Amino acid sequence: MHGPPARHDPAVPLVSVVVVNYRGADDTIACLRALAEHDYPNLEVICVDNASGGDDVARIRDAVPGVRLVTSETNRGFAGGCNLGAREANGTVLALLNNDARPAPGWAGNAVATLRAEPAVGAVASKVLDWDGTGTDFVDAGLTWFGMGYKPRAGGPIADVPRAEHEVAKDVLFATGSAMFVRASVFAELGGFDERFFMFYEDVDLGWRLNLRGWRVRYVPESLTYHRHHATMSEVDSPDGGRETFLLERNALAALYKNASTETLSAALPAALALTVRRATARGELDPTQLDLEHGTGPADTAPVPVPRSTLAGVLAIDQFVEQLPSLAQSRAAEQAARVRTDADLLPLLRNALEPAYPLPRYLTAHDILVEAFGIEQAFGTRRKVLVLTGDAITERMAGPAIRAWNIAEVLSGEHDVRLVTVNPLAEPPPAPFPVSAARRRDLSEPVAWADVVILQGHVLEMAPALQSEYAHKIVVCDLYDPMHLELLEQTKDVPDDRRAADLDGVTRVLDAQLQRGDFFLCASERQRHLWLGHLAATGRLTPRLYDADPTTQSLLSVVPFGLSARPPQRTGAGLRASLGLSESDRVVLWAGGVYSWFDPLTLVRAVERLSDRRGDARLVFLGMKHPNPEVTEMDIGAQTMRLSDSLGLTGKHVFFNQEWVAYDDRQNWLLDADCGVTTHFEHIETTFAFRTRVLDYLWAGLPIITTDGDAFADLVRRERLGIVVPAEDTEALADALEKCLYDTDFADGCRERMAAVAERYTWQNVLDPLVRFVRDPRPAADRLAGAADLTSEPPLNRVQKLRRDVALVKEYLSDGGPGELTRRAAGRVRKIVRTRLRRG
């Protein structure tokens, strides 16, 4: 056995090609010689001889002396032979090539280019043509509902295949084992091929498992090979021998059993077993009525019935599938626990799951019967399970986070099975088209285990630690629309300094944990997107692997603003005028939301005082002073606002405070009674990145908007001319703006007319589109895929290089700071070495 090859350019991944030989020395030698001349610059070739006997090993060693030759004492099959070669490999990329294949120029280079450019691609499927390059072998992959992998278009002339089907890269369920590439780290993570398969469908099973764990398998037509099909199998079987049929039948059942979800398997497995029997009897043309008394009651006949080997193969396949079930059950448990993709996710990759595969009349009849009887078509369209977790109270009187979580659940429930769960003790939800419940921390394990995708807000991640441990593979969407740490800077101004700093540190840790764990993130505006990209970069999450997967980062972090109903507001009851005793002629400006520390209602009250001197019918109404979530602490700004209004003699005359929170489904009645909406805030960092959710209610109800400059909505109001933007803490400008919106009819009507088109863009169905598209095809972030590893690395320094490095460092330290700097640096290096050894020890 030869040692590993000398490394070339460290920026070029080492590719280890594994070729398995079994009594095929002539083909193998031709293949190895072609690899020796291949144009990829960093190639390691490993040949595994599967106990061929005879002179195969000697012939291969003599003919191709540079190859690494690994000999097995037993015939391990194609699966075991490849695994043995993989264990001997040094490359970060494994290439598996049949011994009766030859690579075209660019075969390895084009595959590696895809693996480097797309970190979420775990394996590359080569394009495979027949030996002459005129016939089709592999240009796509498909899977039947009963577990048999197949190659669409195989066997026909490549000239008859539309170019779009074979010349364009695409995702596939599996790569053919005759010519494929896989990341070595991922191959190891999955345990390689399943050796119980021996040969046939081990590649189908591997690709299925890769996809279930979130990796993509990419067909790359530029990675081309030519193949003599089944040259090895001809050594051990004949067309009527039954051995190949036995392996195909048994392995299809094994692949189905391991990889299908519980819901799919409950329908598919009994139907697949019945179909295997019918396939066997139809293949052997057995008379299915020969033992049926209804078709004849003559003398008893005990003579043996001849059974063709092609029929026997199907029966024995079921028998041996049963024999393997105990070990397959363990594998199934592991695969189901590790999967992050649903059967519905993979359905497009199956191409045509209802493909019957065999053109036998009796068999085709049975296929249709079983598909109908067991509901196979419905089983392969299973809806995804989505859990929406919030920390906010779910009641008739919901605040922003709960409203957002509710609408996320409602929109997604049109396509998926959705549960909305709050960890807040207050959960008295209105009627919903999806289950809504409250859960304590210890109760979250069940819904988390149930879900395929978990969408969470706020502090919820720390209450579901299983998402960091046993369910670390689950796909998690983090909703970051509320920058909690920036709110806290304002919210805790009256808190003792040490507690304030500790609270901020705690909230920041919560956000950091989300940024490290999430697979997809939502924010409310482009401003917020810049904020969270900075956080991701600062926490080290914005890695080369994530960047390479998507340099735009749009697939990682998308803008999903707060939304509004697509249905215009309709009056359903009394509004603010009846509730507060206002007349129909009063001109009302509405503050639609809570009063928090980061807002500036004080300047607004002073502006109303000025306006009241010239407009006696001007009224300001605060929608709700008491937050519906009991866990939100009361903020002094509300009390300050009421005291200021009292001191100016405005309360009950020009300024009105509704103490209780208006129910979410009742808010339109208050909005329809108003003439314009207002939100004012101070100039600080919270404003810069805030998204004032209740401003959307003004948009929904067609209320001209008055807002302080500095936040994302101020940009929108100014750009779309939806109202008036005023400087922070400018009482006079605010009073003038109130007067214009309340009393200039032409101006207000113009605002309302422009609002209709803008409101359409902000409907929940529209703003949630990035989330809807992600949940339709959810995948782990590229850096969270199990088995991900670097493809290239710098070689370690040898002794001479280390000495040169150290001498250069000594010169640098002496030049920068003299002997003292050299001593300090040397001491630091010693401490680092000690710590490293202690950790290893």
Side-chain angles (χ1 to χ4, degrees), residues 115-134:
L115 292 173
R116 298 194 70 181
E118 302 185 53
V121 171
V124 165
S126 295
K127 178 179 183 177
V128 185
L129 302 180
D130 67 9
W131 198 252
D132 297 324
T134 58

Side-chain angles (χ1 to χ4, degrees), residues 326-343:
S327 66
L328 286 172
Q330 296 178 13
S331 299
R332 171 175 172 76
E335 296 306 324
Q336 298 305 311
R339 67 186 293 160
V340 296
R341 307 271 283 156
T342 69
D343 292 348

Side-chain angles (χ1 to χ4, degrees), residues 19-33 47-48 56 60 64 99-100:
V19 176
V20 177
N21 176 71
Y22 181 72
R23 300 180 185 176
D26 290 338
D27 285 330
T28 301
I29 290 168
C31 177
L32 296 176
R33 284 174 172 167
C47 179
V48 176
D56 276 34
I60 292 170
V64 196
N99 72 318
D100 52 355

Side-chain angles (χ1 to χ4, degrees), residues 183-250:
R183 296 175 188 270
S185 58
V186 178
F187 194 76
E189 173 72 21
L190 270 65
F193 285 136
D194 187 334
E195 296 189 19
R196 287 167 299 198
F197 284 57
F198 195 77
M199 63 188 301
F200 299 129
Y201 293 163
E202 71 289 316
D203 47 7
V204 177
D205 172 68
L206 180 72
W208 199 344
R209 290 188 287 140
L210 281 166
N211 275 285
L212 285 177
R213 297 188 188 209
W215 287 100
R216 292 163 56 206
V217 180
R218 192 75 170 159
Y219 167 75
V220 178
E222 296 80 8
S223 176
L224 174 65
T225 56
Y226 304 95
H227 184 215
R228 287 194 187 99
H229 191 56
H230 278 196
T232 300
M233 194 64 196
S234 63
E235 291 291 322
V236 294
D237 198 23
S238 64
D240 299 322
R243 290 181 172 181
E244 179 177 344
T245 302
F246 166 80
L247 290 172
L248 292 171
E249 297 283 5
R250 184 198 64 182

Side-chain angles (χ1 to χ4, degrees), residues 386-390 405 408-409 412 418-422 453 455-456:
V386 181
L387 174 65
V388 182
L389 283 174
T390 182
I408 285 172
L412 293 178
V418 179
R419 294 187 192 176
L420 174 59
V421 175
T422 178
V453 178
I455 303 170
L456 54 84

